[in-house]
Amino acid sequence: MGIFERLLSLWVALAIITGALLGWLFPSVFEVVAGLEFAHVNLVIAVLIWLMIYPMMVQIDLSSLRQVADQPKGLALTLVVNWLIKPLTMLAMGWLFFRVIFAPWVDPATATEYIAGMVLLGVAPCTAMVFVWSQLTRGNANYTLVQVSVNDLIMIVAFAPLAAFLLGVTDVQVPWSTLLLSVVLYVVLPLIAGVLTRNWLNRCGQPDQLTSFLATIKPWSILGLLATVILLFGLQAETLIAQPLAIGMIAIPLTLQTYGIFIIAFIGAWWLRLPHNIAAPACLIGSSNFFELAVAVAISLFGLHSGAALATVVGVLVEVPVMLSLVAIANRTQPWMDRRSTSPQPTAS
């Protein structure tokens, strides 16, 4: 790992500051960029995320996908954390902070909207950025693809009824255009491009051709991440300036929730003796969120300037720096996780 990758957290911090400053100084430029969206998916951000995902998709060997069945525990862990634990802990965290801890400073109606925005984040597992986190932890590319694909299939069926149940509303309209477009942009198209690239490199006949190509494009993936951070914070610069106290209050429970879910998943991975390249993506996919879907539903249910919409936007801002810290934790624990996964299990007496 070169100095650029080792200091990634520093570059991200600078990108956050740069994005906020540019958004404050040149708001009209970012307004134009914000308008380049379809079905609540910003097309510029989509291109940058695609750039980040593509290198990992090149690593996927479709012929090896059947081997995922040999490690069902990782997939089971992902599903339990995403669909049985995370939505409930997100609701509990929102209630604790906005009904108890921050109650003196937030009126009940606004608190309800903040909690609703958090819940919408909690029932929308990540589709795109998890590929980036998996790549940064040297996760199993094939396994990550299956984890994301299975979550997307469940989300199609479970998102609306689960969100409606937790929010206490009778009807949650799923923005199908947002969901389907995101899956196509962040999973289908980069997967096709990655498979075609891999097949072409393999046909070249050079054994190290694939490794050399991945080394060449890896810096572009990191640059795509930094550009995404600049753009996200630039787009939300006015919100950061206008409502710093609200953003800070929302960020605290969201940050604690992210670390808490990671710890729960990590303990599960340790107990199941999962190797690092499967445990890391399994832990990180539950910690991150499908923010495009959450933002779209929050706007449709509560309005563009609602507390729920603000909470989902804060989720966007919190995710990248927090997830990078979790990537660092996952990487530091790799030797420990791998030793445990290969050590013999104790036999019952």
Side-chain angles (χ1 to χ4, degrees):
M1 183 180 292
I3 187 172
F4 187 72
E5 289 84 357
R6 287 202 303 270
L7 297 178
L8 182 58
S9 296
L10 172 61
W11 310 136
V12 169
L14 293 175
I16 289 173
I17 296 171
T18 301
L21 285 175
L22 290 177
W24 177 58
L25 294 173
F26 308 104
S28 59
V29 175
F30 286 91
E31 288 176 6
V32 173
V33 176
L36 300 175
E37 69 172 29
F38 180 77
H40 296 283
V41 176
N42 186 278
L43 300 181
V44 179
I45 292 177
V47 171
L48 294 174
I49 292 178
W50 200 94
L51 182 65
M52 290 184 276
I53 291 173
Y54 171 68
M56 185 166 191
M57 292 302 192
V58 176
Q59 301 175 49
I60 292 174
D61 182 4
L62 292 181
S63 63
S64 300
L65 287 179
R66 67 175 73 93
Q67 298 176 3
V68 171
D70 299 333
Q71 284 276 8
K73 294 179 180 179
L75 183 58
L77 175 65
T78 300
L79 298 180
V80 169
V81 169
N82 277 326
W83 297 107
L84 297 181
I85 299 177
K86 182 180 178 182
L88 297 177
T89 57
M90 186 72 91
L91 176 61
M93 193 68 70
W95 183 90
L96 173 64
F97 275 86
F98 292 108
R99 294 298 186 200
V100 181
I101 298 176
F102 294 149
W105 300 281
V106 181
D107 65 86
T110 302
T112 298
E113 292 189 353
Y114 288 164
I115 295 170
M118 291 179 61
V119 167
L120 291 173
L121 287 168
V123 296
C126 186
T127 289
M129 291 298 286
V130 67
F131 289 111
V132 181
W133 313 135
S134 181
Q135 181 180 349
L136 291 174
T137 57
R138 295 175 293 280
N140 184 310
N142 297 325
Y143 211 94
T144 303
L145 174 64
V146 172
Q147 288 175 314
V148 171
S149 300
V150 172
N151 268 304
D152 286 344
L153 291 174
I154 294 176
M155 189 156 38
I156 291 173
V157 178
F159 177 84
L162 185 56
F165 172 73
L166 294 175
L167 294 176
V169 298
T170 57
D171 187 26
V172 173
Q173 295 296 325
V174 177
W176 293 107
S177 55
T178 302
L179 179 55
L180 297 176
L181 179 62
S182 296
V183 171
V184 170
L185 285 177
Y186 301 143
V187 180
V188 178
L189 290 181
L191 175 61
I192 292 173
V195 170
L196 292 176
T197 303
R198 184 183 182 92
N199 290 340
W200 176 75
L201 291 171
N202 287 334
R203 284 199 300 268
C204 290
Q206 299 290 335
D208 60 342
Q209 192 79 17
L210 179 60
T211 303
S212 176
F213 178 77
L214 289 172
T216 301
I217 63 174
K218 184 177 180 180
W220 289 100
S221 179
I222 302 299
L223 290 174
L225 173 61
L226 297 178
T228 301
V229 173
I230 291 173
L231 189 54
L232 287 174
F233 278 81
L235 291 171
Q236 302 301 330
E238 292 186 359
T239 303
L240 288 168
I241 295 171
Q243 304 185 65
L245 179 60
I247 289 173
M249 287 192 293
I250 297 169
I252 291 172
L254 284 178
T255 300
L256 293 176
Q257 159 75 9
T258 303
Y259 282 112
I261 285 296
F262 179 85
I263 292 171
I264 292 171
F266 189 87
I267 292 173
W270 175 84
W271 180 66
L272 293 171
R273 295 176 175 268
L274 297 179
H276 173 266
N277 65 347
I278 291 176
C283 295
L284 295 171
I285 193 173
S287 305
S288 52
N289 306 303
F290 186 176
F291 53 79
E292 293 96 339
L293 181 61
V295 170
V297 176
I299 291 173
S300 66
L301 284 177
F302 300 94
L304 178 62
H305 301 291
S306 64
L310 178 63
T312 56
V313 168
V314 175
V316 178
L317 301 179
V318 167
E319 177 159 322
V320 174
V322 172
M323 291 303 297
L324 280 173
S325 70
L326 294 180
V327 165
I329 293 172
N331 284 335
R332 287 180 180 275
T333 59
Q334 177 180 357
W336 183 53
M337 293 295 287
D338 284 341
R339 279 197 305 269
R340 178 169 171 79
S341 69
T342 56
S343 63
Q345 298 190 36
T347 57
S349 57

